[in-house]
Amino acid sequence: MAILVCGGAGYIGSHTVARLLEKGKEVIVFDNLQKGHREAVPENVKLCVGDLRDKDALDKVFSENKIEAIIDFAADSLVGESVTEPLKYYNNNMYGTMCLLEKMKEHGIKYIVFSSTAATYGEPESIPIMETDRTMPTNPYGETKLSVEKMLKWSDNAYGIKYTALRYFNAAGAHIDGHIGEDHSPESHLIPIILEVALGKREKIFIFGNDYPTEDGTCVRDYIHVTDLADAHILALERLQNGEESTVFNLGNGKGFSVKEVIEVARKVTGRTITVEEAERRAGDPAVLIASSEKAVKELGWKPEYNSLERIIESAWKWHVNNPDGFGGK
Ligand code: UDP
């Protein structure tokens, strides 16, 4: 019996595949390779190139393989793009997962771990953010992820499909052995952009906003290592397979770092010059996002291992130094 990882050629998906294999699990990857990288999927793993919205492709995977459960990462995830192209997000993120659930129902697959996001909360009411806090997304990306969480709830109610939605805070870092890492095009995330500056691929990093109500005026985020995130998926799946109920977990370190603090740590780790320029705020950025992951620690037995910002940036730096052109350079 295999675990089907949808979006397994992407950043968090490929790190989860690596972790599943390290734990001796059988894995099949389903990915449309629009953002994912073929090179991120190990050669001994079956890669089915397909789109969640292609029901025939899903039928084929489910009828040709014995699938015990799904881990679903396949989605569009650019907040800014979701504001200018909301229907793209409704189509891929919502309709795509709807097709997946329909086919899970038809083929009798009972378990799904779903990649959700802190963007489901919107502007937080209080810090740290708890799973029971108000969800009021401020962009279509967060809205479509929250809508899928609701679709999962009603699908469990009607068809008994058990789910766990994992709301990630800021995923960062790379596999500790450096063979896979973050490679987005275009890159929009803070840590890889800083490291591109350190590598000399970009001239400088723009700090978006210096007048937030935080200690140094820049936004504070909760950075969590991608392998720690990966482990939480595996624990979440085991928990469901042990008969526990569907639920939602936050995944973060519970500690916040400002943009300026992240740049400082990156200077220390890389030993390189990182030129900064202060710029306007980016639309839709809340000042502070920090998770309470108490529930995941307690109920999943999850213990983030690579939980210092130094270790997170060190692992990302190793990947960037060895793969300055990302997977394209392989
Ligand atoms: N950020 C920045 N410059 C950049 C990219 C990001 O100042 O070139 C800031 C961004 O405004 C946010 C933080 O870094 O406060 C983390 O942004 P990222 O896009 O990595 O993740 P998000 O928090 O949006 O999911």
Side-chain angles (χ1 to χ4, degrees):
M1 294 285 267
I3 297 165
L4 183 71
V5 181
C6 302
Y11 172 45
I12 307 174
S14 62
H15 285 78
T16 303
V17 169
R19 221 43 184 172
L20 284 164
L21 295 174
E22 284 159 22
K23 289 181 189 292
K25 307 272 188 189
E26 195 187 329
V27 178
I28 297 173
V29 169
F30 185 85
D31 199 298
N32 66 9
L33 297 181
Q34 263 172 28
K35 289 272 162 70
H37 306 276
R38 192 179 284 275
E39 300 81 359
V41 181
E43 270 169 20
N44 59 346
V45 169
K46 182 166 174 182
L47 168 64
C48 305
V49 179
D51 194 291
L52 288 184
R53 293 161 290 189
D54 179 351
K55 294 185 190 178
D56 292 340
L58 286 175
D59 265 333
K60 191 164 164 3
V61 175
F62 288 142
S63 46
E64 286 179 0
N65 302 281
K66 284 199 168 18
I67 308 289
E68 60 178 292
I70 312 280
I71 305 182
D72 179 26
F73 299 94
D76 286 313
S77 62
L78 295 173
V79 169
E81 181 190 59
S82 80
V83 176
T84 51
E85 288 196 62
L87 297 181
K88 177 176 175 186
Y89 281 69
Y90 277 86
N91 187 295
N92 192 20
N93 297 4
M94 264 192 79
Y95 176 67
T97 318
M98 192 188 101
C99 296
L100 178 63
L101 283 166
E102 257 180 51
K103 290 297 158 189
M104 284 179 69
K105 174 179 161 253
E106 270 179 46
H107 292 265
I109 295 160
K110 290 284 177 209
Y111 305 108
I112 178 166
V113 175
F114 175 67
S115 167
S116 189
T117 167
T120 50
Y121 294 107
E123 192 68 48
E125 289 174 290
S126 56
I127 296 291
I129 302 173
M130 314 273 289
E131 289 85 351
T132 46
D133 285 358
R134 177 189 69 187
T135 46
M136 209 191 267
T138 51
N139 55 64
Y141 169 62
E143 193 78 72
T144 53
K145 288 285 181 176
L146 184 61
S147 301
V148 171
E149 287 189 10
K150 292 178 181 172
M151 185 155 52
L152 289 166
K153 184 183 88 175
W154 293 113
S155 297
D156 178 7
N157 184 59
Y159 320 124
I161 294 176
K162 297 293 168 198
Y163 73 92
T164 301
L166 299 176
R167 293 177 178 160
Y168 317 147
F169 282 65
N170 289 64
H175 195 287
I176 220 71
D177 75 8
H179 81 286
I180 46 173
E182 191 167 8
D183 178 6
H184 295 120
S185 180
E187 189 49 76
S188 68
H189 294 113
L190 181 65
I191 292 176
I193 291 181
I194 293 173
L195 298 181
E196 286 178 10
V197 177
L199 270 181
K201 289 182 68 189
R202 282 179 198 248
E203 196 190 330
K204 56 190 162 189
I205 169 100
F206 293 97
I207 296 179
F208 298 145
N210 60 7
D211 57 351
Y212 284 97
T214 60
E215 220 156 90
D216 63 20
T218 65
C219 286
V220 170
R221 293 288 181 273
D222 181 337
Y223 296 90
I224 175 82
H225 194 279
V226 64
T227 298
D228 286 327
L229 279 185
D231 284 348
H233 291 75
I234 299 169
L235 291 168
L237 184 55
E238 287 169 355
R239 178 184 164 279
L240 286 181
Q241 290 179 319
N242 284 336
E244 298 288 335
E245 280 309 309
S246 298
T247 192
V248 175
F249 292 106
N250 285 342
L251 298 178
N253 268 319
K255 253 189 353 220
F257 290 90
S258 73
V259 174
K260 285 187 176 168
E261 284 173 324
V262 175
I263 294 168
E264 232 14 84
V265 174
R267 285 186 174 127
K268 221 171 76 198
V269 167
T270 63
R272 303 278 177 97
T273 303
I274 298 169
T275 307
V276 307
E277 182 174 322
E278 303 205 345
E280 289 298 301
R281 287 184 177 198
R282 188 174 68 175
D285 266 342
V288 180
L289 289 176
I290 300 173
S292 162
S293 298
E294 242 174 73
K295 185 178 169 192
V297 169
K298 211 163 117 201
E299 293 183 29
L300 288 179
W302 181 57
K303 284 191 216 81
E305 225 181 298
Y306 308 104
N307 59 357
S308 80
L309 188 57
E310 280 80 3
R311 289 200 79 185
I312 291 174
I313 295 182
E314 269 164 26
S315 67
W317 182 233
K318 184 170 174 183
W319 157 256
H320 275 83
V321 168
N322 292 333
N323 303 275
D325 298 316
F327 289 103
K330 284 208 163 159

